[in-house]
Amino acid sequence: MTTRNLLWIAALVTSLTACGSDTEQAGSGELVCPSNRITQTDISAGQGQFSGEAPSALIDSVNAKLLVVSTNYGNFGKPALFQCNLDGTGCNFTDISSGQGNGSGRFPSAVIDSTNAKLLVVTTNDANCGKPALFQCNLDGTGCNFTDISSGQAIDSGYNLSAVIDSANAKLLVVTRNDANFGKPALFRCNLDGAGCTYTDISAGQGTNSGRVPSAVIDSTNASSWPSQRTERTLARQPSSAFASIHHSGCRTWHSGLVTARVAPTNALHDPQLP
């Protein structure tokens, strides 16, 4: 099953939380949910094909809701929020693109700012030349604001994003694959509202393509952020084959929400298998 099958994966993950004491131990020692306790729910809330690409799921514990953010290719690649009850019922869809254009919601990574009761969603904004974007919303998807958090970095600086919150310093940390810097890992550090962003090359002397598909965690003990790199080619998420890619002059052009056009920056060396 792929992320293109709407949002079924997120629904399956949610159903595992209901297993409770009914979990079983597999031969590998892992706890698994018995097959008779796994359910599948379509949580697409009436959205069409390809509305659930690259979902990022969170639990809003205050309101007992499942929040799933995805790239909605049924809505021209804009970021979508699906808010549901924890059992996958009662889902609502919200376009959280805050006026940004087609392709503004690629590779979403969502976190909850508990202090301010906000949903923070970072994306690759193809409506802004592949730079990292922040969409700050209320937890129900209303009141969204957009901020360009690229801090002066150029075209394609915001691929394969991973966001974490540094609670001790009230900062949003976003790591990306920066194709404006030869595919090296980048750190964008911002206030929780997206203001005051700074950029740092965190490649530590590593070379071209050292930042493919980064994943960030907080080392609370030593007060550091640690982006790890998953180099498996299969983890480089791409749009469905229904969304053909062509080369064209200019930054990006979207045609009927189905075809993307892009030009790589001259100093970026692209793996043809990557977006």
Side-chain angles (χ1 to χ4, degrees):
M1 185 179 297
T2 70
T3 55
R4 302 183 187 102
N5 290 329
L6 302 179
L7 299 169
W8 294 342
I9 289 180
L12 288 172
V13 172
T14 306
S15 68
L16 291 176
T17 65
C19 291
S21 60
D22 290 337
T23 53
E24 298 174 344
Q25 191 162 17
S28 61
E30 297 179 352
L31 293 178
V32 297
C33 187
S35 58
N36 62 354
R37 294 298 303 275
I38 298 176
T39 60
Q40 178 268 317
T41 305
D42 181 343
I43 60 172
S44 61
Q47 291 298 291
Q49 275 191 315
F50 310 112
S51 57
E53 184 79 24
S56 177
L58 298 166
I59 297 293
D60 172 8
S61 56
V62 173
N63 299 298
K65 295 290 185 180
L66 170 68
L67 307 181
V68 180
V69 177
S70 73
T71 307
N72 186 354
Y73 284 114
N75 187 33
F76 303 98
K78 297 179 181 180
L81 170 65
F82 298 87
Q83 183 194 46
C84 309
N85 299 324
L86 294 178
D87 62 358
T89 62
C91 297
N92 295 307
F93 157 73
T94 306
D95 178 340
I96 60 170
S97 61
S98 188
Q100 287 298 289
N102 299 343
S104 56
R106 295 189 65 200
F107 305 103
S109 177
V111 292
I112 290 178
D113 171 9
S114 301
T115 301
N116 300 297
K118 296 290 185 179
L119 174 66
L120 307 183
V121 179
V122 296
T123 71
T124 302
N125 188 355
D126 276 357
N128 188 32
C129 299
K131 297 179 181 180
L134 169 65
F135 298 91
Q136 182 194 45
C137 309
N138 298 325
L139 293 175
D140 62 358
T142 61
C144 295
N145 294 306
F146 157 74
T147 306
D148 177 341
I149 61 170
S150 61
S151 189
Q153 287 299 290
I155 292 173
D156 291 343
S157 54
Y159 272 111
N160 301 109
L161 310 92
S162 177
V164 289
I165 289 180
D166 173 6
S167 300
N169 297 295
K171 295 290 185 180
L172 173 67
L173 308 183
V174 180
V175 295
T176 74
R177 186 188 91 221
N178 186 357
D179 281 0
N181 188 33
F182 301 96
K184 297 178 182 180
L187 170 65
F188 298 90
R189 184 174 186 264
C190 308
N191 298 331
L192 294 175
D193 62 357
C197 295
T198 59
Y199 157 76
T200 307
D201 177 339
I202 56 172
S203 60
Q206 294 300 294
T208 298
N209 289 330
S210 55
R212 295 178 62 189
V213 198
S215 178
V217 295
I218 297 288
D219 175 3
S220 301
T221 302
N222 297 298
S224 299
S225 62
W226 291 89
S228 61
Q229 180 192 352
R230 296 170 293 169
T231 58
E232 295 87 346
R233 186 184 304 276
T234 55
L235 289 179
R237 294 170 292 184
Q238 304 178 59
S240 161
S241 58
F243 301 90
S245 179
I246 61 174
H247 290 279
H248 191 271
S249 61
C251 174
R252 261 170 195 73
T253 304
W254 281 72
H255 305 282
S256 302
L258 293 178
V259 179
T260 63
R262 65 186 305 283
V263 161
T266 55
N267 63 339
L269 302 180
H270 280 276
D271 183 326
Q273 296 300 315
L274 292 176

